[in-house]
Amino acid sequence: MNWFLTAGGFLLTSLGVWETFMAVLHPRATVGPITKVINRGFHFLVRTRTFAHPRVLVHCGPVLIVTQVLCWATLLLIGISLIAWPQLGTGITATGSNPTNTDFASAVYYSGFTITTLGVGDLVPRTPAMQFLTITAAGLGFSFFTLVLAYVISVYSTLARRNQFANEIEYRTGRTGDSLGYLRAYLSDSDPSLVNQDLYTLSSNMAELLESHHFYPVLHYFRFSEPWYAMSRMLRFCLEVSSMMRAARQVDSSKPAASPEAVDRLWHASMQMLEGTKRHFVICHSTHDEPDPRLAIEISRSIGNSDELSSQLKAAFVDQQSAWLHDLNALAVCTRSEALRDS
C-alpha cells in the first residue's frame, strides 16, 4: 500500500511539474494534457446559456488562468502529500514529545508548508530520504511560484500588445471597424509607398500576434466588452484589406499597386493566425458563409471602375474571401464578441 501511494504521488508530482514547466518554459512545443482538458472544458462551459452572458465572458481569461494555476498547484501538493503520508510517524515526526498525526490532512499540511517554504517546524523529516524529499519539495515550490509569476506577467504583457494592435486598426478605420475607408484611400492614391510601409507594419504585428497565441493559448479566452478588441474583428480587417488588394492586382495590373510582397505577407500572416486559432481553440459552427461582395461593389463605385472591371473585381474578391469567410465567422460565433455582418 505504501509503495502504491508513493508511486501515485510521484506520478502526480511529475504531472504537475510537467504541466507547469511546459506552459511556461516550452509553451510553443506542447500543452499538457490537464491544461488542454481545462481549456476545452472551459470553452464549452462558457458557451452554455448560464455562462454566455457578456458580463461573464469578460472574466473568462483571468478565471481560466486562476483555474490552471490552481490545478497545477493541486497536482504538486497532492503528489508530494501522497509521498509523505506513509512516512508520518517514522520518517516524518512531530517535534518534542507530541504524538505524530498520521492522517492525510497532516501529510497535506506538511507538504503545504514545505512547498511554500514557510518552514513551520512542528513536523520534521528524520530520515535521509525524507530530508531529501523536503529539500526537493521546497525547490519545486519555489520554482513553481516563480514560473507562475513569469507566466502571468508574460500573458498580460502580450495581451497589452494585442490590445494596442487592435486600437491601431481601430484608428485606421476611423473607429468604425470597416475596412472600406482604408481601402478607398489606397486604391485612389497614385503613390503606394505609404501603404506599403503600413502593410509591412500590419503583417509584422500579425506575425507577432500569431506567435504569442501559439505560446499562450489562454489569450484566446480574454474577451472585452469593447468590440474593437475582438480577435475576429482584427482578422476581418486584415483579411479584407489583403484580399481586396490581391483581387485588385489580379483585375487591373495597370494601376499603381502596393508591393505584392507586403500584401502577401499580411495575407499569409492573417491566414496563419486564423489556422492557428483552429488548432488551439475550438471553432464553433457558423451559418453565415455566403460570400459578401459588398466591399468590392463599394470600392468599385468609389473609384469609378467600369462595369466590366467591377464585375471582375467582385468575382476576384469573392474568390479570395471564400478561403477564410467560414472560419472567421465561426470564430466570431465562438467568442461572441463580434456581431456577424449578416445577422
Side-chain angles (χ1 to χ4, degrees), residues 92-107:
I92 301 172
T93 61
T95 57
S97 59
N98 297 325
T100 303
N101 293 326
T102 58
D103 54 6
F104 183 67
S106 298

Side-chain angles (χ1 to χ4, degrees), residues 110-166:
Y110 174 79
S111 301
F113 74 66
T114 301
I115 291 172
T116 56
T117 65
L118 293 177
V120 175
D122 53 344
L123 291 174
V124 295
R126 300 296 183 182
T127 63
M130 290 302 98
Q131 291 169 352
F132 177 76
L133 172 67
T134 302
I135 295 173
T136 302
L140 289 176
F142 180 79
S143 301
F144 173 81
F145 290 112
T146 302
L147 291 175
V148 165
L149 181 61
Y151 176 71
V152 173
I153 292 174
S154 298
V155 167
Y156 277 93
S157 61
T158 303
L159 182 64
R161 292 195 298 272
R162 188 182 83 179
N163 288 352
Q164 179 183 357
F165 182 44

